[in-house]
Amino acid sequence: MIKAILVFNNHGKPRLSKFYTYLTEEMQQQIIKETFHLVSKRDDNVCNFLEGGSLIGGADYKLIYRHYATLYFVFCVDSSESELGILDLIQVFVETLDKCFENVCELDLIFHVDKVHYILNELVMGGMVLETNMTEIFTRIDEQNKLERQEAGLAAAPARAVSAVKNMNMNLSQQIKDIKLPDLPQAIKDLKF
Amino acid sequence: MALKKVKGNLERIFDKNLTDLVRGLRNNKDNESKYIAQCIEEIKVELRQDNAAVKANAVTKLAYLQMVGYDITWAGFNVIEVMSSPKFTHKRIGYLAASQSFHADLEMLMLTTNMIRKDLSSQNQYEAGVALSALSCFVSPDLARDLSNDIMTLLSSTKPYLRKKGVLMLYKIFLKYPDALRPAFPRLKEKLEDPDPGVQSAAVNVICELARKNPKNYLGLAPVFFKLMTTSTNNWMLIKIIKLFGALTPLEPRLGKKLIEPLTNLIHSTSAMSLLYECINTVIAVLISISTGMPNHNASIELCVQKLRILIEDSDQNLKYLGLLAMSKILTTHPKSVQAHKDLIMRCLDDKDESIRLRALDLLYGMVGKKNLMEIVKKLMVHMEKAEGTTYRDELLLKIIQICSQNNYQHITNFEWYISVLVELSRVEGLSHGSMVASQMLDVAVRVHAIRPFAVEQMSLLLENPYAIFGMALGSGRPPSMIQVLYAAAWICGEYCTFLSNPKKTLLGMLDSRMVQLPHNIQSVYLQNCLKILAHLLPSQSKGSPVTANLLTNGTEDGESDDQPDQNVDEQEHSAVEPDKVNLAEIQDFLKPFISSEELEVQERAGCLNNFIKCYVKLESKGQIDDISELSEELANAFSSELNPVAVKAQKKVPVPEGLDLDAWINDPPSDSEEETTETTDVFVKTHTAADFGSTLTEKKKVPEPTEEELGKMREARKQEQDLNPHYLKSSSKPTNSKLVNWSDDVPPIEKLDLNVPLQIPALASSDKYLQESKQKSSKTKKEKSSSGKKKKKKKTKTKDSEEEEDVEIETETVHVVNTVIEMPEGATLSDTEESALAFDDPHRALDIDLDIPLDTPPEITKTKASRKSDPNYIKKSKEKPAEVEVTNSETHETVEVEASVNSIKKTKSSDSKHKSHKKHKKKEKKEKKSKKTDANDDNLLIEME
């Protein structure tokens, strides 16, 4: 089970927080703070696993994280999850973000936290991994975005036209776009499922 | 009015949206809380509008504020309102806010039941999808109960997307409403064979989570999983299945045997490191669970270790970390295989990554032996000097103690070295396991007889120079944890005071006025042990003084001394004492601050000591030499008996005497109507007895009865008892080969110390010296060995080493012997452990349901193929009328006949060889003498897997 998913930047500002067990807002902030403290003092060339902090649960829990440019993606998981599997899931998450936001950067996460949540919801549900296939994930997100655009109201026709164009763009980008993400260690590339 | 409304709506168009809010927050970094308060006010206004879009916008902003740390449950009703909006866009926003802020204890959730039910059955699969995603975050027991049927319906949806989400949702339902598990399980099992791989994977996921906590209930599914494992190519699912098998194998060894081959194949074939790693992990679990009867046992272990070595040698730190983690699992059962890679592990100790160093430390205990212990510990000590951060240092300290003390100090050949290591550890600043070091000192001193003189010498140095060793930290603020070492030092010096080279100096060192700053528990040990040292000193001192009459030995008694006034102290102060003797008046002076200590324990002991001295001085001033010597001898006798080590949990194992009901009230509990005054006295009595009890416990020794005759009688009785008791460790039974090193020659004599020069204490032994010594010795013994090989075998290594090890480590000498006998009540064993069941608040407790027991009213689904496999009744029925029944293996469609006589199944249409092998298998099982029914059932499982 995944207990929590946190995204924060190099200064510890939260960009996304998802807790799959209930904790008060105060506790959540404390955990984000402590996790940032733990993670940020580690070099980039050390391993991506950390024995769980005291706040987020006992010895059974591990923090598994990745650092991309200005952002830390941290998953807190228990022993039923495969460590390397979760690392790969983080990679899938980031690549999906990259695809949806077209070259994702921190600003996208800052201003569209709701969309990031919707994307995450297609990967993980209630702390369990829902889907790991990027194509499938992207199809689901895209279809929901279409629904939203249809509902956009009065300017339905032009909106649809725009969305069609956008959609074309997206399809194109899907094929063409070369995903260039920072820090992709060779060993992880081999793990590609 | 209508116009106003329109106008209001128009205005609302210019409301802040999420982007504006975030931007505003970034522009108002200095007064963020003020800005947010303002935003919340605006949001409240927006929430009062009728326009759904405006409300949704407000809720989006609230969801953001939640992330920043603001409680938004006050807007719960509005969130629900937005959730119920017909538009998907709004609904999604509402459910997002709900999933972030709602929780199972919220009463508001009641309102959502019907709405969620409606959404779950929506035509639009994404509406049901967002509802499920959110529900999984905040489902409550009530919601779980009310919606479980709706979720079940989703399992048969035509859309794989909904089936997938529904399956995952089931797990959350089970956690909150365990009753749902039993009826839902057959359906869940069906989903393992769903045509959609995503649904399959979700079902595997859920069952793995369930089985992790209650594995025995899911053994019946092994064949299905086995088939999935050999056919699937989805690595995610494979990892989960392989992890599940890891949990199942300890319960069913035969399953493990079946697994080895396909797992080894996977290890050889897969290119995904994550899968490789999980395979290795499960192979290890299998090998641990099967202790005997594996032909390729060693080959598999070797394969694992080889692969792990590749992982550890990889440049990727993650793989290195995991490799070490898996190694530690192998180490517990196959230490030899891991020891072959000692070089690699030692190299990891120097890794720049702390996580990796910690993992390597975990492996270290398996790497040490007699020969390299000193070197490894030396290495760790160097690490400790260099290390930053206290947690890593603490970890190092724990590991040093662990590797040294494991198996009754099996690897320590020279305890002088160990004592000096402990002393050195106690001088490292900022460590937090002082009491651990202290208990090691105590343990070694109590159990290794031969080390006592050396230990006492070192400890007395600690006692005499606490400032030099513990720095100025003594006086300022909270004392460091390492100060607890003084506790051990004081006790050792007091208990074995006969070995003290200068008892008087030690005594005065312990009574230094600055010791008042020590923690109270140490102070009281100090005082008690002052008494012991004094008891040791006085008999020799009293000889040669004048003689006369009576005894008043009340001084040694606890409790009373508290009540006695201390007026006489000043008068006695001036009584003259010869210079070479202990100046009792001086001691009384020192005692003053302790007598007025606020801590009961300290005060009591100080008073006790003081009164004893008073008594002694009185007798001395009257010139009653006989009585004085008698008194002092009596006191010395009181402390003369040997203490034996007692096992940690021994107290718990003492059987409760017959007729004693520990739960019964000794006095009737006070009734409710009792007056307040009696209650207060009650409290007082309680605290008093608690203190008494505590004092007797911490003294570790019974203070004998006051009068002489009683004392004598007790001593007689005890001696008799000791003679009769075969388990009693007599002090005369000293180890024969106590020492090879003559320590007294090596250690320079204690010099007078100037307390103002705190940095070096000359006589304090250095552990490096022993390391050097042992190196020299080993090179010497190597030469000797060629001439006289057998000599060394006489050393008493047998008690601790297994035969093999003796051969390997023949040349290392054991300098000291550990007393391995520990006092235990009859019938108790050291390995007795506490029961470790699931934690009480673990929701999985309620999910421990035997899924093979048929439901009272089995729904039609139980008759499906899948459920039959694990249903014992199914086999029973077929046994009664031996008919041909088609079972399970859908690929080969083999028919299975049930043989009523042996109660087990054989394959009729399978090839002869298979048939034979199966018969062999059956015979084996018969030997195992398991109950016939389960045998039949299990065989069934295994056949399916073949």
Side-chain angles (χ1 to χ4, degrees), chain B residues 361-380:
Chain B
L361 276 181
D362 283 346
L363 284 166
L364 208 57
Y365 77 91
M367 303 290 118
V368 291
K370 287 193 168 140
K371 271 193 274 182
N372 59 7
L373 177 69
M374 284 189 184
E375 257 167 276
I376 289 181
V377 169
K378 173 75 197 155
K379 195 168 182 177
L380 295 183

Side-chain angles (χ1 to χ4, degrees), chain A residues 109-172:
Chain A
L109 271 75
I110 295 174
F111 288 108
H112 303 286
V113 97
D114 48 343
K115 294 203 175 63
V116 179
H117 267 293
Y118 301 145
I119 292 167
L120 183 61
N121 280 349
E122 297 306 320
L123 269 89
V124 180
M125 182 183 138
M128 281 174 290
V129 179
L130 179 70
E131 186 57 68
T132 52
N133 182 334
M134 279 248 291
T135 333
E136 166 78 8
I137 294 168
F138 191 72
T139 319
R140 299 299 173 194
I141 294 165
D142 198 33
E143 279 178 29
Q144 290 180 63
N145 287 343
K146 261 185 220 158
L147 261 180
E148 211 170 271
R149 280 194 292 272
Q150 277 165 15
E151 286 179 351
L154 293 171
R160 218 170 290 152
V162 171
S163 79
V165 173
K166 268 194 180 171
N167 211 15
M168 261 172 59
N169 273 341
M170 266 188 197
N171 284 338
L172 269 179

Side-chain angles (χ1 to χ4, degrees), chain A residues 1 17-18 22 29 42 46-48 51 78-80 118 122 126 131-132 143 147-148 151 187, chain B residues 66-67 88-89 92 99-100 103 124 126 161 164 172 209 212 236 243 316 318 321 353 355 359:
Chain A
M1 286 278 279
S17 70
K18 183 90 204 169
Y22 174 68
Q29 293 303 312
R42 292 172 66 84
V46 300
C47 72
N48 298 107
E51 318 284 293
D78 67 13
S79 60
S80 76
Y118 301 145
E122 297 306 320
E131 186 57 68
T132 52
E143 279 178 29
L147 261 180
E148 211 170 271
E151 286 179 351
Chain B
Q66 194 276 339
M67 182 182 78
F88 175 73
T89 318
R92 188 150 76 148
S99 73
Q100 291 294 90
H103 54 94
N124 182 347
Y126 293 110
Y161 182 68
K164 189 168 67 181
K172 292 282 174 171
E209 285 295 336
R212 204 162 70 94
W236 262 100
K243 267 185 170 283
D316 186 345
N318 294 326
Y321 174 91
D353 188 347
S355 310
R359 291 282 76 81

Side-chain angles (χ1 to χ4, degrees), chain B residues 652-832:
Chain B
K652 268 189 201 164
K653 301 294 174 192
V654 176
V656 178
E658 247 179 85
L660 176 66
D661 183 4
L662 288 175
D663 293 328
W665 289 97
I666 296 171
N667 298 313
D668 285 332
S671 59
D672 296 338
S673 59
E674 237 173 331
E675 284 167 34
E676 229 175 274
T677 46
T678 53
E679 267 176 43
T680 49
T681 54
D682 218 332
V683 169
F684 176 74
V685 169
K686 258 183 207 160
T687 50
H688 188 76
T689 49
D692 275 355
F693 190 58
S695 74
T696 49
L697 270 187
T698 43
E699 272 176 52
K700 294 180 185 172
K701 211 175 244 194
K702 282 174 203 155
V703 178
E705 295 301 310
T707 70
E708 208 186 345
E709 297 106 48
E710 271 180 31
L711 241 170
K713 269 183 204 165
M714 276 179 64
R715 229 187 354 262
E716 271 308 308
R718 197 173 59 229
K719 272 182 187 158
Q720 252 179 345
E721 200 186 24
Q722 287 170 3
D723 289 340
L724 291 174
N725 186 353
H727 299 299
Y728 185 77
L729 299 170
K730 281 152 192 111
S731 46
S732 56
S733 66
K734 273 185 183 163
T736 42
N737 68 327
S738 56
K739 307 197 128 208
L740 296 179
V741 192
N742 194 353
W743 54 273
S744 56
D745 291 341
D746 300 336
V747 181
I750 304 162
E751 287 166 45
K752 274 223 165 181
L753 272 178
D754 187 0
L755 272 179
N756 296 327
V757 190
L759 285 175
Q760 275 288 312
I761 298 171
L764 220 47
S766 136
S767 60
D768 293 353
K769 191 187 70 186
Y770 297 102
L771 179 59
Q772 290 297 327
E773 250 169 47
S774 80
K775 272 182 187 163
Q776 286 165 7
K777 195 158 280 174
S778 74
S779 59
K780 230 188 256 174
T781 42
K782 261 176 204 162
K783 284 174 205 159
E784 270 176 44
K785 204 192 163 195
S786 55
S787 56
S788 59
K790 270 268 168 178
K791 249 184 190 173
K792 299 290 187 301
K793 237 189 176 172
K794 282 176 190 168
K795 301 289 165 258
K796 268 200 180 174
T797 44
K798 267 180 200 164
T799 44
K800 291 158 281 162
D801 298 344
S802 66
E803 293 282 280
E804 313 170 312
E805 261 173 88
E806 214 172 322
D807 291 335
V808 181
E809 313 220 349
I810 218 163
E811 66 239 68
T812 47
E813 294 163 354
T814 311
V815 185
H816 303 112
V817 169
V818 185
N819 183 358
T820 49
V821 185
I822 303 178
E823 284 191 353
M824 285 284 272
E826 277 174 52
T829 53
L830 263 181
S831 57
D832 281 353

Side-chain angles (χ1 to χ4, degrees), chain B residues 182-183 186 855-864:
Chain B
R182 192 63 197 91
L855 284 169
D856 295 340
T857 52
E860 56 291 25
I861 2 156
T862 38
K863 281 174 196 155
T864 57

Side-chain angles (χ1 to χ4, degrees), chain A residues 36-67:
Chain A
F36 169 70
H37 187 72
L38 281 175
V39 166
S40 62
K41 65 179 180 202
R42 292 172 66 84
D43 286 343
D44 269 353
N45 54 0
V46 300
C47 72
N48 298 107
F49 312 120
L50 262 176
E51 318 284 293
S54 55
L55 275 174
I56 209 153
D60 201 28
Y61 288 92
K62 264 203 190 80
L63 294 177
I64 299 174
Y65 74 97
R66 270 172 175 275
H67 189 195

